[in-house]
Amino acid sequence: MKKNLFKTAAATILAASMAAGMLTGCGGAKTEAPADGAKTEAAGEAKAASGSTQVWRMAFNQTEDHPQYRVMEEFSKEFKEKTEGRYEIQLFPNETLGAQRETLEQVQSGVIEMSIVNNTHPGSVSDYFKAFDMPFLFDDIDQAIKFVKESPVMEEVKSDTEQYGFRIATYLPAGTRSMFTAKTPIKSVDDMKGLKIRTMESDIYVNMMTAFGGSATPMAMGEMYTAIQSGVVDGAENNEITYVNSKYYEVAPYWSQTNHLIVPDWLIINKDVYYSMSDADRAIFDQLCVEAIDKVQVQWQADVDKLMASLDTSKVTITSDVDIESFKNAIAPTNEKLVAENEKIKKVYDAVQSMK
């Protein structure tokens, strides 16, 4: 991380936010829709007519060589060109503006305009997103992309967070998640019994690991390497890029291709900022958002192929012939319970099933 390089800038932004008393927090007070959308758009058009460039800040928690960052860098250039310089997006990688939860709060309040966040964070305010945390919701990444592009329910999903001050701009593929362990490979769900596995700090992830027969240990990602190294946990689950770039293979040399989750990242934008654009500029923005989905996926897969091929197979064991059906059978009752108890989760789940 390069947090120290931008410490002053980040502190300035956060201090201004606190002084203004703007941060609402996830699940905090709702932000009502603009009383007069025409006035909001008119204000944006007035700025554009003045010839000035509106500068937006986009927060990101990964490095500059991450596929999402590279695509968003291209996104920014195209948006500026196609709006004839009316907008410029500045990217802040490496958590320089804060961790994802903090940047979501900053987007909510308008301290910054945009951020890339994991699905768990919108899920803290809108139950629609909890469906995307369900193991094996999608069969593969192509199906996930098709769903977010074509399903009519996605407009409801994207706009449901507007009551909290932000909108989902687009889905950004983040690969598939699998298991990696310190001492033994995982070939079926039976091999999960008794293993302490680090998960994200989410009830759905904890319930997932329990259903698989393991013992969930929720913790921040920054603690994970040391926790595996010291034996606090026996392993973790994540995508290939994180596994290799964060060097988890050094302490957990058994990679097992369970593909149990296809969890999206989301590009979010402050609601008022989104509606401040003219219809023409918003159409440009929306189109670039759609195009970004495939661009990220192409670069993501290229990075996965390259990074996994770089591993020393005399030190790292890759198990690709995992009994996936055993995992699906184990999680089925948990998924069914989620769908039965929550209408928003059910709506997304049923929509996914209708497209299979």
Side-chain angles (χ1 to χ4, degrees), residues 226-243:
T226 303
I228 299 173
Q229 186 179 45
S230 63
V232 171
V233 296
D234 299 305
E237 55 85 44
N238 216 306
N239 60 64
E240 295 96 332
I241 290 178
T242 299
Y243 178 66

Side-chain angles (χ1 to χ4, degrees), residues 174-215:
T176 59
R177 297 174 77 97
S178 291
M179 303 288 179
F180 49 95
T181 46
K183 297 179 180 179
T184 182
I186 295 169
K187 296 184 178 181
S188 78
V189 76
D190 291 338
D191 296 325
M192 294 292 298
K193 291 178 181 176
L195 293 182
K196 295 175 290 184
I197 303 294
R198 177 268 175 184
T199 68
M200 285 196 283
E201 297 166 287
S202 159
D203 288 343
I204 291 181
Y205 278 70
V206 171
N207 293 338
M208 171 190 74
M209 204 54 63
T210 301
F212 288 160
S215 176

Side-chain angles (χ1 to χ4, degrees), residues 179 181 184-192 195 254-258 317-327:
M179 303 288 179
T181 46
T184 182
I186 295 169
K187 296 184 178 181
S188 78
V189 76
D190 291 338
D191 296 325
M192 294 292 298
L195 293 182
Y254 294 94
W255 173 269
S256 302
Q257 198 77 39
T258 54
T317 299
I318 299 174
T319 302
S320 56
D321 57 340
V322 176
D323 181 1
I324 301 295
E325 287 302 315
S326 69
F327 282 88

Side-chain angles (χ1 to χ4, degrees), residues 127-148:
D127 285 348
Y128 278 123
F129 295 89
K130 292 178 180 177
F132 296 102
D133 278 335
M134 293 171 61
F136 303 109
L137 175 68
F138 298 109
D139 294 335
D140 53 43
I141 194 71
D142 290 338
Q143 186 184 84
I145 290 173
K146 178 179 173 64
F147 177 79
V148 297

